[in-house]
């Protein structure tokens, strides 16, 4: 039983030398249920897919917002809709396939069928048979539609929310995130290269912390560090939107001094200068953006990470399965006008990321070992790097954005601190 | 010598022998042997069936040379952080699908069980191998190995090749 509930004396620990996170936030089933209502089902825009995944009329994709199954569709007019994947009749899944192309959405249980915007169009035996049975006289189709969510599309990214009150997507994201999305997705048509799915045995917020944490990236991930894909000595920054929901972490490779780096990282396991690639083609990429930024990890509350690591581009969607389980769905993309060589570079550099990625496989382990270690505990973690306050940093030796994440989380859950 | 001169039984024997050597090195922590079972120019692709079903080519692992396979092993030995674990591959249903003078096409099914540090053994992945096998200096080697996995939901991470 958690003490972290609104209208009770909170036990969120406070410390003078930084910020603490009570481990029960990663364990408590009641908090998990409240997150589903107040975050994934509440005043937040969740990512549900790319328009490039549903390019044609009739295309659908089944996915989740948090734990809740939803359907993303494109109708014959090109309109993108998002609705709960739950029949208005008796609650069955309407789409039982992850993707497809259909004219109508039909529940198999009693064959209620809906159009691609979720409007109920037909109910078998509505008028009964031989004057018997059938729906009541006051039954109206349009009061039994699928539950349709608000949808906004930004540069090919589809977001949805059940909230009627949350601000527009653009305001929700804030100008810094909007322009950072535009940088990667704004000018060119996205082309999906494929998905990877990684099932993590940990709480989803451990991953929210991980992707807001430039401190770990050069220490846990040797590949990053050794090959200079990312080092905390590089020029970069860790910035938040005004509400501290979202984080933009970026770095510029080749901005640090190799000699200095060798000194800084000399006692660090993850700087292995003797480790050379015998086939360097893996890292033979192209410079893609004029601003010199070679690494971007954009964490968008609550369920999206957008990444650029070298020439790999991907969105990572977080789907929750309980306080101790979540799935990460990586959708890798390029651009429809990539030449064959560029497409080849992206597919080869995909070796770096995802559940088998030479860079990123360790994040699966990091989530796992925290969740294992905190079992049964009432302790708290400590965030101090960079000052332990939710502040922007024009450097990469900080945990400040994680503090920002938690302050925003407290406000969503109504936790008085 | 053309591979067509081998009898079906002989071909199957050689392919099975190569597959057995392959899984023994992966399962018994002799990863350094793994690249030596491929030709110098080779293709190894570990890809989710849900991607190939959509004609998408994004792979979990994609190596197009023997040195790239070696790099993967060196990285696993010296760079990557993952829970110590071991596999047991169970291979079945081998068929030889084509025989050319210089290569044999073979398909088989596999199941991989993974044992972690807590001693629990779990079914980790199932899938199929589609292999092109050639001989070099009398040695049977993979020219191409396409590993298509059914288990689209990778549990935690995938370190050791399949």
């Amino acid at each position: 039983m958690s003490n972290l509930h609104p209208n009770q004396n909170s036990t969120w620990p406070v410390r003078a030398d930084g910020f603490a996170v009570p481990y029960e936030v990663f364990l408590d089933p009641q908090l998990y249920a409240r997150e589903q209502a107040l975050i994934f089902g509440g005043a937040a825009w969740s990512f549900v897919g790319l328009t490039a995944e549903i390019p044609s009329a009739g295309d659908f994709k089944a996915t989740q917002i948090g734990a809740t199954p939803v359907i993303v569709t494109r109708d014959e007019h090109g309109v993108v809709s998002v609705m709960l994947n739950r029949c208005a009749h008796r609650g069955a899944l309407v789409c039982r396939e992850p993707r497809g192309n259909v004219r109508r959405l039909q529940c198999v249980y009693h064959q209620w069928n809906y159009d691609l915007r979720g409007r109920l169009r037909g109910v078998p035996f509505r008028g009964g048979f031989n004057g018997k049975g059938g729906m009541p006289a006051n039954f109206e189709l349009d009061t039994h539609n699928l539950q349709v969510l608000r949808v906004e599309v930004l540069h090919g990214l589809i977001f949805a929310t059940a909230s009627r009150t949350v601000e527009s997507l653009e305001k929700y994201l804030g100008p810094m995130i909007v322009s950072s999305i535009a940088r990667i997705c704004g000018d060119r048509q996205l082309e999906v290269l494929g998905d990877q799915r990684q099932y993590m045995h940990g709480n989803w917020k451990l991953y929210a912390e991980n992707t807001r944490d430039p401190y770990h990236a050069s220490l846990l991930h040797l590949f990053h560090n050794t090959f200079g894909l990312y080092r905390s000595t590089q020029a970069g920054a860790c910035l938040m939107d005004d509400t501290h929901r979202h984080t933009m972490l970026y770095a510029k490779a080749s901005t640090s001094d190799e000699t200095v780096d060798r000194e800084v990282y000399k006692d660090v396991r993850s700087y292995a200068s003797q480790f050379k690639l015998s086939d360097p083609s893996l890292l033979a990429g192209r410079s893609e953006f004029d601003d010199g930024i070679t690494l971007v990890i954009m964490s968008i509350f609550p369920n999206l990470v957008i990444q650029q690591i070298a020439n790999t581009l991907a969105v990572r969607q977080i789907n929750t399965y309980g306080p101790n389980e979540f799935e990460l769905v990586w959708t890798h993309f390029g651009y429809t006008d990539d030449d064959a060589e560029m497409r080849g570079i992206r597919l080869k550099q995909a070796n770096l990321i995802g559940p088998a990625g030479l860079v990123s496989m360790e994040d699966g382990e990091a989530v796992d070992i925290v969740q294992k270690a905190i079992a049964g505990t009432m302790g708290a973690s400590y965030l101090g790097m960079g000052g332990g306050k939710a502040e922007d940093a024009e450097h990469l030796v900080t945990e400040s954005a994680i503090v920002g994440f938690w302050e925003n989380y407290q406000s969503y859950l109504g936790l008085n601190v | 010598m053309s591979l067509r001169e081998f009898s079906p039984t002989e071909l199957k024997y050689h392919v099975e022998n190569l597959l057995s050597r392959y899984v023994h090195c992966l399962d018994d922590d002799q990863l350094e042997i793994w690249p030596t079972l491929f030709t110098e120019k080779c293709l190894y692709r570990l890809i989710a069936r849900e991607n190939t079903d959509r004609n998408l080519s994004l792979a979990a692992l994609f190596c197009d040379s023997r040195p790239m396979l070696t790099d993967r092993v060196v990285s696993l030995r010296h760079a990557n952080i993952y829970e110590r674990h071991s596999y047991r591959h169970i291979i079945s249903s081998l068929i030889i699908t084509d025989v050319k003078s210089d290569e044999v096409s073979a398909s088989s099914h596999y199941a991989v069980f993974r044992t972690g540090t807590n001693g629990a053994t779990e079914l980790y992945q199932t899938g199929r191998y589609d292999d092109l096998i050639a001989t070099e200096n009398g040695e049977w080697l993979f020219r191409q190995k396409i590993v298509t996995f059914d288990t689209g939901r990778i549990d935690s991470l995938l370190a050791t090749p399949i």
Side-chain angles (χ1 to χ4, degrees):
Chain A
M1 173 77 188
S2 169
N3 292 316
L4 288 172
H5 290 276
N7 311 319
Q8 292 179 18
N9 288 332
S10 170
T11 57
W12 197 291
V14 175
R15 53 190 305 160
D17 61 347
F19 192 86
V21 182
Y23 290 131
E24 61 189 289
V25 298
F26 303 115
L27 298 165
D28 182 6
Q30 291 183 51
L31 274 178
Y32 176 78
R34 289 174 53 74
E35 290 166 359
Q36 295 301 318
L38 299 173
I39 296 174
F40 299 105
W45 286 96
S46 288
F47 173 78
V48 291
L50 302 170
T51 54
E53 293 179 272
I54 48 163
S56 307
D59 284 350
F60 73 85
K61 171 193 172 185
T63 180
Q64 289 177 209
I65 294 179
T68 302
V70 299
I71 311 165
V72 188
T73 62
R74 182 188 292 274
D75 77 358
E76 55 277 17
H77 304 290
V79 173
V80 174
S81 302
V82 180
M83 57 211 90
L84 296 198
N85 189 0
R86 182 186 301 152
C87 185
H89 177 213
R90 299 257 292 276
L93 284 177
V94 175
C95 284
R96 293 147 55 241
E97 295 289 331
R99 295 164 197 284
N101 185 280
V102 290
R103 273 188 57 245
R104 289 281 175 90
L105 301 167
Q106 187 175 68
C107 176
V108 293
Y109 199 172
H110 303 87
Q111 293 193 29
W112 284 34
N113 69 83
Y114 304 87
D115 69 14
L116 292 164
R117 294 192 197 183
R119 294 175 292 210
L120 184 62
R121 292 305 195 188
V123 172
F125 293 111
R126 182 182 173 184
F129 179 68
N130 277 346
K132 293 174 183 156
M135 286 295 177
N138 61 352
F139 174 84
E140 300 285 349
L141 288 179
D142 61 10
T143 59
H144 299 276
N145 296 330
L146 295 178
Q147 189 184 328
V148 178
L149 306 184
R150 276 173 71 193
V151 178
E152 287 204 44
V153 177
L154 180 69
H155 300 307
L157 276 64
I158 308 166
F159 293 83
T161 179
S163 170
R164 293 177 195 281
T165 55
V166 68
E167 63 264 53
S168 70
L169 177 66
E170 200 162 319
K171 281 201 177 126
Y172 174 82
L173 296 174
M176 188 264 297
I177 292 293
V178 168
S179 65
S180 301
I181 292 175
R183 175 182 168 277
I184 294 178
C185 307
D187 296 332
R188 298 163 70 189
Q189 203 72 31
L190 305 189
E191 176 186 57
V192 174
L193 299 176
D195 286 351
Q196 299 206 66
R197 293 193 290 126
Q198 183 172 16
Y199 199 78
M200 309 280 232
H201 301 275
N203 186 276
W204 68 278
K205 298 185 295 300
L206 291 173
Y207 197 69
E209 287 192 320
N210 178 278
T211 57
R212 288 165 172 83
D213 174 14
Y215 179 32
H216 89 285
S218 68
L219 299 169
L220 177 66
H221 305 303
L222 180 144
F223 221 87
H224 257 335
N225 199 355
T226 297
F227 295 103
L229 291 169
Y230 172 89
R231 288 174 193 154
S232 280
T233 50
Q234 291 168 353
C238 186
L239 310 173
M240 289 171 283
D241 69 307
D242 289 344
T243 64
H244 298 173
R245 292 176 181 129
H246 322 298
T247 301
M248 161 76 172
L249 195 165
Y250 72 84
K252 300 179 177 185
S254 325
T255 51
S256 59
D257 184 304
E258 200 68 42
T259 321
V260 173
D261 287 353
R262 211 169 290 137
E263 183 59 25
V264 168
Y265 283 109
K266 72 170 189 269
D267 297 323
V268 171
R269 167 197 59 80
S270 58
Y271 186 80
S273 52
Q274 78 284 358
F275 180 24
K276 298 271 187 289
L277 290 180
S278 45
D279 183 345
S281 70
L282 174 62
L283 296 177
R286 279 192 204 166
S287 167
E288 265 198 278
F289 297 94
D290 299 338
D291 53 19
I293 292 174
T294 51
L295 181 139
V296 169
I297 301 290
M298 213 185 317
S299 302
I300 297 175
F301 185 78
N303 73 335
L304 174 64
V305 176
I306 304 175
Q307 67 137 76
Q308 169 207 346
I309 297 176
N311 294 117
T312 65
L313 305 172
V315 286
R316 313 174 189 169
Q317 182 181 340
I318 298 164
N319 296 328
T320 66
Y321 287 88
N324 308 322
E325 316 277 330
F326 72 94
E327 183 174 57
L328 203 54
V329 182
W330 305 64
T331 301
H332 297 234
F333 62 87
Y335 304 110
T336 50
D337 59 354
D338 278 342
D339 57 41
E341 184 187 82
M342 192 65 200
R343 195 165 290 123
I345 289 171
R346 296 196 204 283
L347 291 172
K348 186 172 267 196
Q349 288 189 352
N351 281 299
L352 299 173
I353 65 167
L358 291 167
V359 166
S360 61
M361 77 167 79
E362 281 103 17
D363 291 324
E365 180 68 2
V367 166
D368 200 64
I369 58 176
V370 175
Q371 195 75 30
K372 276 180 180 154
I374 63 178
T377 184
M378 295 299 279
S381 71
Y382 168 61
L383 298 166
M385 188 57 65
K389 291 194 172 52
E391 294 165 340
D392 283 355
E394 298 288 339
H395 57 78
L396 299 166
V397 275
T398 179
E399 296 172 310
S400 55
I402 307 177
V403 178
F405 169 84
W406 287 112
E407 290 179 356
N408 171 62
Y409 177 84
Q410 290 166 340
S411 109
Y412 264 86
L413 284 227
L415 302 172
N416 303 312
V417 181
Chain B
M1 175 181 174
S2 166
L3 297 179
R4 288 210 177 92
E5 292 171 35
F6 286 92
S7 73
T9 313
E10 286 172 327
L11 282 177
K12 205 161 176 180
Y13 166 79
H14 287 294
V15 170
E16 268 180 352
N17 190 38
L18 178 60
L19 284 168
S20 297
R21 290 170 63 208
Y22 182 90
V23 302
H24 274 266
C25 75
L26 292 178
D27 294 356
D28 292 325
D29 197 27
Q30 296 178 301
L31 297 183
E32 286 70 14
I33 293 176
W34 178 62
T36 70
L37 302 179
F38 289 80
T39 55
E40 177 72 21
K41 274 189 66 180
C42 61
L43 178 67
Y44 172 80
R45 177 179 277 144
L46 173 67
I47 186 165
R49 181 177 174 178
E50 57 195 39
N51 283 336
T52 55
D53 283 351
R54 293 162 68 199
N55 291 320
L56 299 173
S57 42
L58 182 92
L61 290 178
F62 162 44
C63 301
D64 58 3
S65 73
R66 188 194 277 163
M68 249 191 113
L69 298 170
T70 305
D71 287 338
R72 177 85 195 177
V73 173
V74 172
S75 185
L76 288 177
R77 292 288 194 214
H78 302 292
N80 294 117
I81 302 290
Y82 50 89
E83 182 180 333
R84 187 167 53 74
H85 64 277
S86 61
Y87 287 164
R88 290 291 165 205
H89 284 71
I90 312 296
I91 295 181
S92 74
S93 314
L94 170 66
I95 48 173
I96 306 290
T97 51
D98 193 23
V99 184
K100 293 195 173 71
S101 61
D102 68 332
E103 67 183 21
V104 177
S105 308
S107 294
S108 51
H109 297 171
Y110 69 83
V112 175
F113 296 87
R114 184 177 66 178
T115 305
T117 49
N118 68 358
T121 301
E122 289 166 351
L123 179 58
Y124 177 62
Q125 191 175 92
T126 65
R128 62 180 286 155
Y129 289 140
D130 291 292
D131 302 325
L132 293 181
I133 294 162
T135 55
E136 269 181 16
N137 305 321
E139 205 182 354
W140 294 74
L141 299 169
F142 294 108
R143 182 176 281 174
Q144 179 175 299
K145 190 168 189 70
I146 308 295
V147 187
T148 308
F149 55 95
D150 310 321
T151 315
R153 175 184 275 180
I154 291 176
D155 191 83
S156 291
L157 55 83
L158 190 150
T160 308
I162 303 289

